[in-house]
Amino acid sequence: MKLVRYGNPGKEKPGLIDANGQLRDLSAVVKDIGPEQLGDAVLAKIAKTKTDKLPLVKGKPRYGCPVANVGKFIAIGLNYADHAAESGLPIPAEPVVFMKATSCIQGPNDPVMLPKGSKKTDWEVELGVVIGKRARYVSQKEALDYVAGYCTINDVSEREFQIERGGTWDKGKGCDTFGPIGPWLVTRDEVPNVQKLSMWLDVNGKRMQTGTTKTMIFSVAKLVAYCSQFMTLEPGDVITTGTPPGVGLGMKPPVYLKKGDVITLGIEGLGEQRQDVVPFKL
């Protein structure tokens, strides 16, 4: 299934994309798409719903983040060897884990805002993993059983804040609007091989990133199992799993986002995003 949340910010309704690509309202089946709805039992209930009986949603409403009330937004750095190389950093022996602030989460097509004082805001297309049930010390073999589904994420990053301002990466990763997620949450049953998905990102129509999840250093199963050793993963937590090469930081000379730029990106089967880059405002 392709599950969505649509409507104005803070007032999103649950929805579903049917076999014809039409948006259907799920409000009569579930009250939202969030932690309480991501377990296997509720997802099975939604799957049994006769899609053609659900109300069609007219027009082109805004899509919000497809998961409500995300508890943790966990990120993995340097998970593609080519990206590590372009960043001038060694391939990690273990996953690099950091956090993105949940306040940066937004819809897939909402504008990306340049932070106040930003000089080096960058782009990163990434595969998102949404947890469906509580995971503690799970094995790699069983890890994917704890996943509700997958989504497209742009891990927007301010490189000066991240790298040159001391401390951890987090301060360059969690600025407002730096976490576009969606458009859909695609349930795991529709992704038979999560390690074989193509991904891409353009800026102003120019291809910047082309990659595939098969070149990840650490697989999705490994990442879920690994993170569960250090923190309890709860339903609705999101893990964004690293980016392939082609980020602005790695270009010679580096290229960064500016007011008026347009970012488009997508992952095979998981949908596409589009963001206008706009200046900072309160």
Side-chain angles (χ1 to χ4, degrees):
M1 295 180 292
K2 294 181 174 70
L3 302 176
V4 302
R5 299 174 64 251
Y6 69 95
N8 293 329
K11 297 181 178 180
E12 292 92 346
K13 295 180 179 181
L16 178 150
I17 304 299
D18 68 17
N20 297 317
Q22 300 178 106
L23 174 58
R24 302 273 183 169
D25 181 33
L26 268 178
S27 299
V29 183
V30 290
K31 65 179 181 180
D32 208 340
I33 306 296
E36 296 177 0
Q37 291 79 35
L38 294 174
D40 290 344
V42 177
L43 292 179
K45 174 186 173 182
I46 297 172
K48 290 177 181 177
T49 303
K50 293 183 178 180
T51 305
D52 60 350
K53 303 297 183 183
L54 296 172
L56 275 171
V57 179
K58 297 179 180 180
K60 295 182 178 180
R62 167 191 174 268
Y63 285 139
C65 173
V67 181
N69 303 315
V70 173
K72 292 190 287 295
F73 195 1
I74 305 160
I76 308 299
L78 305 175
N79 197 29
Y80 291 72
D82 298 9
H83 174 56
E86 72 176 354
S87 301
L89 296 168
I91 295 173
E94 295 190 35
V96 175
V97 180
F98 60 95
M99 308 296 282
K100 286 178 74 78
T102 54
S103 55
C104 81
I105 293 173
Q106 64 170 16
N109 303 316
D110 294 341
V112 164
M113 183 171 65
L114 297 170
K116 192 173 183 178
S118 170
K119 300 176 182 177
K120 300 180 179 181
T121 295
D122 205 347
W123 55 83
E124 296 189 10
V125 59
E126 303 200 2
L127 169 71
V129 179
V130 179
I131 300 300
K133 61 181 177 180
R134 179 174 290 179
R136 288 176 174 163
Y137 296 99
V138 302
S139 70
Q140 187 170 333
K141 183 177 180 180
E142 63 182 352
L144 295 186
D145 294 338
Y146 290 80
V147 172
Y150 305 98
C151 54
T152 301
I153 293 178
N154 188 357
D155 176 21
V156 187
S157 310
E158 212 298 342
R159 302 302 188 187
E160 183 184 29
F161 298 177
Q162 175 190 356
I163 300 169
E164 302 173 35
R165 300 285 294 271
T168 66
W169 287 5
D170 302 50
K171 68 179 72 173
K173 294 285 192 169
C175 303
D176 290 350
T177 76
F178 273 24
I181 301 178
W184 314 310
L185 167 64
V186 181
T187 51
R188 71 174 187 271
D189 59 296
E190 291 201 6
V191 185
N193 187 351
V194 73
Q195 299 304 153
K196 198 176 180 181
L197 302 176
S198 60
M199 53 207 307
W200 59 273
L201 182 145
D202 294 350
V203 178
N204 301 327
K206 181 180 179 180
R207 183 59 44 93
M208 298 298 190
Q209 291 187 273
T210 302
T212 169
T213 58
K214 69 182 177 183
T215 64
M216 282 183 175
I217 298 168
F218 305 106
S219 68
V220 170
K222 172 65 176 179
L223 294 175
V224 172
Y226 185 85
C227 290
S228 79
Q229 313 303 306
F230 301 100
M231 65 191 86
T232 299
L233 302 177
E234 299 282 3
D237 287 351
V238 175
I239 304 173
T240 188
T241 58
T243 196
V247 300
L249 173 68
M251 296 184 178
K252 301 186 186 305
V255 175
Y256 297 111
L257 294 168
K258 61 186 184 302
K259 174 186 173 183
D261 285 346
V262 177
I263 314 166
T264 51
L265 59 146
I267 299 179
E268 179 183 355
L270 304 185
E272 301 181 3
Q273 302 184 354
R274 181 192 186 280
Q275 295 113 27
D276 295 318
V277 179
V278 300
F280 171 83
K281 73 173 183 177
L282 290 173

